[in-house]
Amino acid sequence: MSQKISLTRYLVEQQRHDGHIPSQLRLLLEVVARACKGISQAVSKGALGGVLGTADSENVQGEVQKKLDIIANEVLIEANEWGGHLAAMASEEMDSIYLVPNRYPQGEYLLLFDPLDGSSNIDVNVSIGTIFSVLRKPEGHPGVTEEDFLQAGSRQVAAGYCIYGPQTTLVLTVGDGVAMFTLDREQGSFVLVQENVTIPADTKEFAINMSNMRHWDAPVRRYIDECLQGKEGPRGKDFNMRWIASMVADVHRILTRGGVFMYPWDKREPEKAGKLRLMYEANPMSWLVEQAGGAATNGRERILDIAPEKLHQRVSVILGSKNEVERVTRYHLGTD
Ligand code: AHG
Ligand code: MN
Ligand code: MN
């Protein structure tokens, strides 16, 4: 790429030429990117910034919060509440929706986020990230309610994540393919490094937490078992395994070189549909993956078609290289 294209320029061109994004959405995405820069800064300080370790609190899902879960959540709220582009926000780390205070103008968008994904990796200096999803507030009534957020993933108008790894990279879709922007720390801006990201349809790499194997359902066991049999098994090829335990990092690898990621329902807590959250993790990641030519299902149906019933709803997730996701889905549906 001869001339550097900043995120700002990319968004302006998306607005000007392609009509993909109205100016309010452009502003929203700029603000999210700025917040991610702030979080990246805090993450990179580690122990020097006093940001490691656990806070004395639990979130609505009963998970112990890390200091950075709370810091990242605050950074995102403070950056986004005053710009006039949002009506309300929802976060994995907040019990209920956050309305833009009355003293600020109300916009037409809803922002949802997992402020810090991969919390168990913070203290061990492994890649973590922020995941976000943008919906339009439904028309026809003043104010915002939790129901306004309960829209299927197919209604998202923007989605992405920022990974804080060896590089800080923001990955975005506004429904026109997937683009990646790496933070240039000297310039202080995100610079386009890849457009039209494409996931190969076939792969020899899977990502799943194997320690849960004894709790899996038969279709997942069958799929992984066949992968493990390698060249000698029904798949006729050897597979490799990766599990980073930060969804952002596992999805980033899949967008970069293909693969299949699974966090399926399992018998540990059978009443829960899965571990990952539909609104903050599965929907934005599924849209990115589909926009890159991959697929995402809960084993039975397309994740983006699921009608949410609750803000903090959980879901079983299988996403990545299309032919593998379709295979796992066939195993679940018994259509193989
Ligand atoms: P979070 O840190 O936002 O709670 O999300 C962690 C998620 C996800 O990023 C990752 O894929 C998964 O939890 C890892 O779970 P295990 O520790 O059970 O492998
Ligand atoms: Mn997460
Ligand atoms: Mn989180």
Side-chain angles (χ1 to χ4, degrees):
M1 219 170 288
S2 52
Q3 205 191 356
K4 284 188 173 179
I5 297 176
S6 64
L7 174 66
T8 300
R9 177 166 167 188
Y10 176 88
L11 293 174
V12 166
E13 287 175 356
Q14 282 281 335
Q15 182 187 349
R16 190 189 296 150
H17 300 307
D18 308 324
H20 279 293
I21 52 171
S23 59
Q24 227 184 61
L25 181 55
R26 179 164 69 82
L27 173 64
L28 189 164
L29 294 170
E30 291 267 19
V31 174
V32 169
R34 198 173 65 231
C36 290
K37 264 190 255 175
I39 298 169
S40 173
Q41 199 64 27
V43 166
S44 69
K45 287 192 177 132
L48 302 178
V51 299
L52 304 185
T54 303
D56 283 331
S57 52
E58 277 189 0
N59 65 16
V60 65
Q61 7 238 334
E63 297 160 342
V64 174
Q65 290 177 306
K66 297 279 165 51
K67 285 184 194 163
L68 262 177
D69 288 323
I70 296 171
I71 294 168
N73 196 61
E74 280 168 3
V75 169
L76 281 157
I77 288 184
E78 279 167 20
N80 278 288
E81 66 178 356
W82 50 268
H85 50 280
L86 280 185
M89 293 177 249
S91 161
E92 183 185 285
E93 301 301 338
M94 296 189 293
D95 298 8
S96 43
I97 63 171
Y98 181 92
L99 301 176
V100 166
N102 284 335
R103 60 185 182 279
Y104 302 124
Q106 312 282 310
E108 58 189 273
Y109 291 101
L110 306 173
L111 175 65
L112 301 92
F113 45 83
D114 174 357
L116 209 291
D117 174 70
S119 303
S120 73
N121 282 323
I122 297 170
D123 293 355
V124 291
N125 205 356
V126 171
S127 297
I128 49 181
T130 297
I131 310 173
F132 60 92
S133 161
V134 184
L135 295 165
R136 208 183 282 277
K137 177 182 122 54
E139 285 169 4
H141 61 275
V144 189
T145 63
E146 194 166 304
E147 280 66 50
D148 293 334
F149 282 82
L150 303 182
Q151 304 181 41
S154 56
R155 314 239 355 220
Q156 292 172 103
V157 294
Y161 63 82
C162 186
I163 179 166
Y164 314 115
Q167 303 105 46
T168 286
T169 298
L170 189 121
V171 180
L172 176 71
T173 187
V174 290
D176 182 32
V178 177
M180 295 188 175
F181 306 83
T182 293
L183 181 60
D184 179 333
R185 289 194 189 267
E186 279 90 62
Q187 299 292 323
S189 60
F190 283 101
V191 177
L192 183 66
V193 291
Q194 205 188 336
E195 259 185 302
N196 302 318
V197 172
T198 309
I199 301 174
D202 291 302
T203 182
K204 294 163 106 177
E205 202 159 58
F206 65 86
I208 192 164
N209 186 335
M210 291 289 289
S211 69
N212 297 324
M213 189 178 225
R214 69 190 185 284
H215 307 295
W216 296 337
D217 224 356
V220 176
R221 273 172 184 266
R222 173 182 171 193
Y223 176 75
I224 296 297
D225 188 53
E226 290 178 358
C227 292
L228 295 177
Q229 290 179 53
K231 271 203 188 87
E232 293 75 36
R235 302 299 308 275
K237 60 182 185 181
D238 289 334
F239 280 77
N240 186 24
M241 193 203 87
R242 288 285 185 277
W243 184 250
I244 302 174
S246 294
M247 189 190 198
V248 272
D250 281 311
V251 169
H252 195 68
R253 185 189 59 256
I254 288 170
L255 286 170
T256 306
R257 67 178 190 209
V260 59
F261 168 96
M262 293 192 265
Y263 211 122
W265 171 90
D266 67 45
K267 297 190 184 87
R268 282 174 300 170
E269 292 182 281
E271 69 290 352
K272 287 186 183 159
K275 175 175 181 183
L276 299 177
R277 276 107 336 184
L278 177 64
M279 307 300 284
Y280 318 111
E281 295 169 320
N283 274 343
M285 292 311 208
S286 295
W287 198 30
L288 285 167
V289 164
E290 284 199 4
Q291 282 287 311
T297 76
N298 65 358
R300 292 185 167 78
E301 64 174 320
R302 183 180 176 232
I303 285 180
L304 296 181
D305 287 338
I306 296 174
E309 288 164 8
K310 284 189 305 196
L311 199 54
H312 298 291
Q313 183 165 333
R314 294 175 189 256
V315 65
S316 175
V317 176
I318 295 146
L319 59 75
S321 290
K322 199 168 187 175
N323 291 339
E324 295 302 304
V325 174
E326 287 178 353
R327 176 182 287 271
V328 186
T329 307
R330 282 199 306 274
Y331 289 5
H332 279 86
L333 296 173
T335 53
D336 190 62

